[in-house]
Amino acid sequence: MKVLVCISQVPDTTTKVGFTDNNTKFNNQGVQFIINPYDELALTRALEITEKQGGTVTVINVGLADTEPSIRKALAIGANDAVRINAEPIDAFFVAEQIANYAKNENYDLILTGRESIDYNGGMMAGLLGEMLQLPSVNVITAIEIENGMAKLERDIDGGRERLEIKLPMVGSAQKELTEPRIPNMRGIMAARTKPLTMVEPIGAQANTQTTSFENPAAKGACKMIDPANAAQLIELLHNEAKVI
Amino acid sequence: MKIIVFAENQDGQFKKSSLEAISYAAQIAAKNNGSVIAVSIGQVSDDKFAELGKYGADQIFNYSQDVFNTFYGETYSKALAHATKNANAELVIVSNTYSGKTVAPRVAAQLGAGIVSGVISFPSTENGFNVRRSVFSGKAFADVAINTSIKVLAITPNSFSIVENNKTASIENMDAGISSDTLASKSIEVARATGKVILTEAELVISGGRGMKGPENWHLIEELADTLGAATACSKPVSDIHWRPHSEHVGQTGITIKPNLYIAIGISGAIQHLAGVSSSKVIVAINKDPEAPFFKAADYGIVGDAFDVLPKIIEAAKTFKSQQA
């Protein structure tokens, strides 16, 4: 069983988000970068599956050399090898084209990624890859087991859950409940140093979108405090003043 | 400009998020001398189509073949791409729901279209085609230019109001020529909670944190939610210790929501939690710690014990609702 896990590198969740260059670039000064948490869940589940029934897990990232610490961490968690496509990840379409081009001749049984990156929140990768590779795609998977070339899985749907069976190969995106993240141990960290990390040059794909500027939301005005003894007043304020009920 | 809108139905009823998308499209069409084509996929009875006209659809493309009885991204995206090509449309709009996010990227890949999800503004077309979306789970906004001739937008639910725009929409029965024989996916079971407000699309959300002290106290959160017609949510620690299901976790690594009203009870307001809820129009924080960071992000605050304050609010909400009825 061959599994490909697509990972991206994102600012740590505690980051205070700010911008530079006249609000056109994310300010990465002093920012700690991590593997996107949902991608890490996809990786962990991929490892659980291949440990149970044999196989390999390759991680792939589209990024410049600064993403290598995150890729090494993925190897320390347990991936067998890694590929970095040496390009600035301009937009989701561009990234998907790069990954699809790499994956098309590799015959992966399963391609997993996170449900969205916690920086750009696009959530488009599984669907884009599915269409580009002509494979079924399932978003927000909360459980997945592989049996005899079939994926038995559960996913979130609007207002509920769905159980599905899909004949492999397929593309899927990880939702929170899929598994618990794994902390790399010392042996894994040592082994990661010598695991293969291949750098591949990008294909000439065009980005369809371009982020032109960023803005932080306006600060909230002062909070209106209500006396707890008179908590019932909240309902009246929400109706007459805020007009939301 | 011709605009395609995915008019999604659930059990034969068009969803509120789809009516928002049609209203959104109708307002763009009005400014750009365009027209709106609502695409209905699956079985919907004819009398329901008038609703799409009411909110601004000029035309309805109806894909009602049996292959669409179950929702799959593979088949539904083909119908939407078929409709787009057939109408020679330049813009495709879906709601940024789980199903919308399943079909939108597949449609974009089929059409070679630029795609932007999480859209929170109308497009500006003065200098190219630009939209605003939320990024960093609500910690910031980004303005994005789309360079392709066809564009796909997934608009954030509850960001645009439903506006009446009465039209008599003509209905065209369509066939994208899709066979179910080659389908690799098979839906086994669909389970939806009945009678509950869906969190991702809710206008009002009542959320609890560790200050609720235990899952046995959640009846207070549920009672207030039921009284107001709100969805229930929770903080990350609460779902991590399994007091509540993960599907209720709002925040940076959970669900990002944008309701009209978010009431946070016993939640301190860590930066990761605020990221997921800060786009709410009105925020109420109830916490016994006056230093809780949530008060800096809230519009209304009550410093007090949840078990003292909540019963008073529930009672007031019940009185308010009975007066409204």
Side-chain angles (χ1 to χ4, degrees):
Chain A
M1 165 123 197
K2 275 181 81 172
V3 187
L4 181 70
V5 179
C6 315
I7 64 167
S8 66
Q9 176 174 277
V10 297
D12 173 59
T13 55
T14 57
T15 304
K16 281 204 166 133
V17 174
F19 305 97
T20 60
D21 291 18
N22 205 14
N23 284 329
T24 58
K25 280 200 174 69
F26 173 69
N27 183 358
N28 58 11
Q29 279 288 309
V31 171
Q32 177 91 23
F33 285 91
I34 56 169
I35 302 174
N36 181 44
Y38 294 114
D39 300 345
E40 205 172 325
L41 295 181
L43 171 62
T44 310
R45 189 65 196 135
L47 292 168
E48 289 163 0
I49 290 169
T50 52
E51 280 159 10
K52 196 168 144 196
Q53 55 181 55
T56 57
V57 176
T58 302
V59 291
I60 191 165
N61 165 261
V62 177
L64 300 175
D66 64 317
T67 66
E68 289 207 358
S70 293
I71 300 175
R72 287 280 173 213
K73 190 185 170 199
L75 292 169
I77 292 170
N80 298 83
D81 57 0
V83 175
R84 178 171 69 82
I85 298 176
N86 188 32
E88 183 94 45
I90 317 169
D91 78 345
F93 209 99
F94 174 86
V95 170
E97 279 187 303
Q98 301 297 338
I99 295 174
N101 179 66
Y102 179 82
K104 69 180 181 209
N105 299 319
E106 294 285 329
N107 297 314
Y108 291 107
D109 301 292
L110 181 62
I111 301 177
L112 290 177
T113 187
R115 61 169 270 200
E116 64 181 44
S117 69
I118 61 162
D119 51 3
Y120 288 94
N121 315 117
M124 298 288 122
M125 198 48 61
L128 287 169
L129 286 173
E131 195 60 43
M132 288 172 184
L133 294 165
Q134 289 297 299
L135 297 176
S137 58
V138 180
N139 284 348
V140 283
I141 299 173
T142 55
I144 182 169
E145 297 289 346
I146 307 291
E147 280 171 35
N148 305 321
M150 293 282 285
K152 298 188 169 192
L153 46 90
E154 287 186 17
R155 71 158 158 196
D156 277 347
I157 54 175
D158 297 300
R161 272 288 154 80
E162 183 177 19
R163 274 197 307 128
L164 290 150
E165 286 181 3
I166 298 186
K167 196 169 165 290
L168 298 180
M170 63 161 282
V171 184
S173 77
Q175 169 69 314
K176 183 145 187 253
E177 252 170 275
L178 186 61
T179 187
E180 293 292 326
R182 224 179 244 195
I183 295 158
N185 59 26
M186 193 42 92
R187 188 198 283 180
I189 294 165
M190 298 298 283
R193 291 185 189 165
T194 53
K195 284 182 179 173
L197 194 172
T198 315
M199 203 251 287
V200 176
E201 287 303 329
I203 54 165
Q206 212 186 329
N208 292 336
T209 65
Q210 189 195 354
T211 298
T212 51
S213 66
F214 293 97
E215 197 184 317
N216 286 106
K220 279 264 179 194
C223 180
K224 188 170 193 166
M225 299 310 287
I226 299 163
D227 180 356
N230 198 9
Q233 194 201 353
L234 176 68
I235 296 295
E236 185 244 309
L237 287 169
L238 291 176
H239 179 63
N240 292 323
E241 190 176 86
K243 299 189 188 334
V244 286
I245 60 171
Chain B
M1 181 193 278
K2 284 195 173 173
I3 308 172
I4 292 283
V5 181
F6 175 29
E8 192 193 353
N9 76 82
Q10 193 172 302
D11 306 323
Q13 298 279 350
F14 289 110
K15 294 175 69 174
K16 173 176 164 274
S17 54
S18 291
L19 302 179
E20 289 171 7
I22 288 171
S23 300
Y24 175 86
Q27 290 170 72
I28 298 170
K31 274 200 199 118
N32 293 278
N33 199 16
S35 66
V36 177
I37 302 155
V39 177
S40 172
I41 310 175
Q43 301 288 333
V44 178
S45 62
D46 285 355
D47 57 311
K48 295 277 185 274
F49 288 131
E51 198 178 15
L52 303 180
K54 184 175 166 191
Y55 298 109
D58 297 281
Q59 217 178 343
I60 293 159
F61 283 2
N62 180 27
Y63 292 85
S64 60
Q65 290 77 17
D66 287 349
V67 67
F68 298 120
N69 286 353
T70 307
F71 173 88
Y72 297 113
E74 297 96 293
T75 52
Y76 272 51
S77 63
K78 285 202 179 92
L80 282 165
H82 180 267
T84 309
K85 285 181 196 157
N86 205 281
N88 215 357
E90 291 167 63
L91 186 58
V92 180
I93 293 166
V94 306
S95 184
N96 203 39
T97 57
Y98 284 138
S99 41
K101 278 191 276 199
T102 300
V103 294
R106 296 199 75 115
V107 173
Q110 284 169 51
L111 299 170
I115 176 165
V116 179
S117 60
V119 172
I120 53 164
S121 79
F122 283 97
S124 103
T125 49
E126 284 134 41
N127 187 6
F129 187 99
N130 299 278
V131 283
R132 175 163 277 213
R133 56 174 310 212
S134 62
V135 290
F136 296 97
S137 310
K139 286 180 189 170
F141 307 118
D143 294 317
V144 184
I146 309 181
N147 314 318
T148 49
S149 55
I150 304 176
K151 292 122 182 132
V152 179
L153 305 181
I155 64 169
T156 301
N158 213 32
S159 292
F160 303 96
S161 30
I162 297 176
V163 185
E164 282 196 31
N165 197 336
N166 258 310
K167 286 178 181 164
T168 312
S170 60
I171 302 167
E172 234 168 287
N173 289 313
M174 305 289 281
D175 188 348
I178 301 167
S179 137
S180 60
D181 301 347
T182 54
L183 206 57
S185 311
K186 191 176 166 213
S187 177
I188 307 293
E189 186 189 14
V190 169
R192 281 195 173 91
T194 49
K196 280 201 79 177
V197 182
I198 298 175
L199 177 58
T200 46
E201 298 173 28
E203 291 181 9
L204 312 173
V205 176
I206 316 293
S207 188
R210 263 186 307 195
M212 289 305 295
K213 294 203 165 74
E216 68 278 7
N217 298 320
W218 238 260
H219 64 94
L220 290 167
I221 302 274
E222 274 161 354
E223 198 176 353
L224 181 57
D226 288 345
T227 307
L228 293 173
T232 55
C234 70
S235 66
K236 182 171 187 287
V238 162
S239 80
D240 282 351
I241 49 181
H242 305 293
W243 289 359
R244 299 297 293 174
H246 283 300
S247 56
E248 284 199 357
H249 161 205
V250 292
Q252 189 162 13
T253 55
I255 297 169
T256 301
I257 52 169
K258 200 182 170 183
N260 295 344
L261 172 64
Y262 182 75
I263 303 184
I265 303 154
I267 302 176
S268 65
I271 186 168
Q272 296 94 330
H273 184 81
L274 295 178
V277 303
S278 59
S279 307
S280 309
K281 288 178 193 114
V282 173
I283 294 176
V284 178
I286 299 171
N287 205 297
K288 64 179 179 187
D289 174 11
E291 301 300 319
F294 225 132
F295 290 118
K296 290 200 177 73
D299 301 281
Y300 297 97
I302 301 176
V303 178
D305 187 273
F307 301 100
D308 166 43
V309 167
L310 259 182
K312 290 178 191 158
I313 296 174
I314 292 167
E315 201 191 306
K318 283 184 174 162
T319 311
F320 167 72
K321 278 290 164 182
S322 65
Q323 285 163 356
Q324 294 274 300

